[in-house]
Amino acid sequence: MLPCVPGDFALELVTWACERVILDTPDNLCQGSFSKLGKMMRVQRLFSILDRLRARRQPVSAESLAEELGVSLRTIYRDMVTLQSMGAPVRGEGGIGYQIEKGYFLPPLHFDADELDAIIIGMRLVAARGDKPLADAATRASAKISAVLPEDMEDSYYDAPLLAYSVQPKSEEETIDFLSPVRTAVRDRALLEIRYMDLKDQSSERVIRPLGLTAFDKVWLLTAWCEKSDDFRSFRIDRLQSVQRTGENFRREASKEFRDYLKRL
């Protein structure tokens, strides 16, 4: 195995990935023979372990890591030996828990008081107003930011007296799950078939190109190109009755993009 300097661990892990996966050299860090796909999955798991350790303030048990990553305890123990032997800044052992030293992969971040308040409020608003995957992502992102803050700012970040609540009507709580498939469809540019109940309680079915989402105080609004109307339309997420992908994606088209809609406002 290549010699490793702890400060260059990120580069070492990439080098190891190239040797083990791309060049398909014998893997003397693993037992048995693995395919390239299996080796790439292991590299991804190593990065996932480091991300999870970096995002936690307390030691993480091997049992917790095994459960989160869907692997056995033996696999976690083996991965930890691999990481530590490569110079990873990981402390701990099985039965006690593992921690990662601060300051690796990302340099310390410095924010002034107002910038830090803006980040805190923004993350907590997303956690309060988003769907579960988005709220979980906000929590993970917040933990990663905290992990690379200077020590004198870390406590003020976690203990900031800034809260965000969402008072949603019952109907929106029941349909907020549609936010997740709509949001991913916007990102993937996937055509959607929807059933929508307008403010006059009239239901309609449409095929739409989901273009963008806007978060207002009490509702999320989807902006889309409606194939039926051949024009832009806006749909409240809490009034969607069903959402399903057609299996097709749409390409970028002049005058039918989110920025084109914004120009009309």
Side-chain angles (χ1 to χ4, degrees), residues 75-222:
T75 296
I76 295 297
Y77 291 145
R78 186 171 63 228
D79 286 347
M80 287 302 179
V81 170
T82 298
L83 289 169
Q84 291 173 335
S85 67
M86 293 172 64
V90 175
R91 297 181 303 171
E93 59 187 37
I96 297 176
Y98 298 92
Q99 282 183 296
I100 190 167
E101 299 284 356
K102 296 182 180 180
Y104 285 81
F105 298 109
L106 292 175
L109 300 178
H110 296 273
F111 301 99
D112 62 34
D114 288 337
E115 290 172 339
L116 202 59
D117 283 353
I119 293 172
I120 294 168
I121 294 173
M123 290 294 184
R124 292 177 182 178
L125 277 172
V126 171
R129 291 287 291 121
D131 54 41
K132 189 177 187 307
L134 197 60
D136 290 345
T139 301
R140 293 197 304 273
S142 183
K144 289 179 180 180
I145 291 173
S146 173
V148 294
L149 286 174
E151 290 187 5
D152 61 339
M153 299 180 71
E154 187 173 350
D155 289 339
S156 61
Y157 182 82
Y158 265 103
D159 300 330
L162 300 169
L163 300 177
Y165 287 100
S166 175
V167 181
Q168 298 175 347
K170 181 175 175 55
S171 60
E172 186 175 352
E173 289 180 352
E174 293 173 344
T175 58
I176 194 66
D177 287 343
F178 286 131
L179 179 59
S180 183
V182 167
R183 183 170 53 80
T184 55
V186 170
R187 185 170 60 216
D188 298 340
R189 300 183 69 83
L191 281 174
L192 294 178
E193 291 181 354
I194 65 169
R195 181 180 294 111
Y196 185 73
M197 181 77 72
D198 64 21
L199 295 177
K200 296 180 180 179
D201 291 334
Q202 295 181 347
S203 180
S204 62
E205 295 183 357
R206 303 165 184 262
V207 175
I208 63 170
R209 304 181 186 189
L211 301 175
L213 284 163
T214 304
F216 290 95
D217 290 340
K218 294 184 178 180
V219 299
W220 284 84
L221 195 68
L222 166 66

Side-chain angles (χ1 to χ4, degrees), residues 222-241:
L222 166 66
T223 299
W225 180 266
C226 179
E227 301 292 349
K228 180 179 179 180
S229 303
D230 195 32
D231 202 355
F232 293 109
R233 289 291 184 269
S234 295
F235 305 94
R236 283 176 47 163
I237 296 296
D238 60 310
R239 298 192 71 85
L240 288 170
Q241 296 179 306

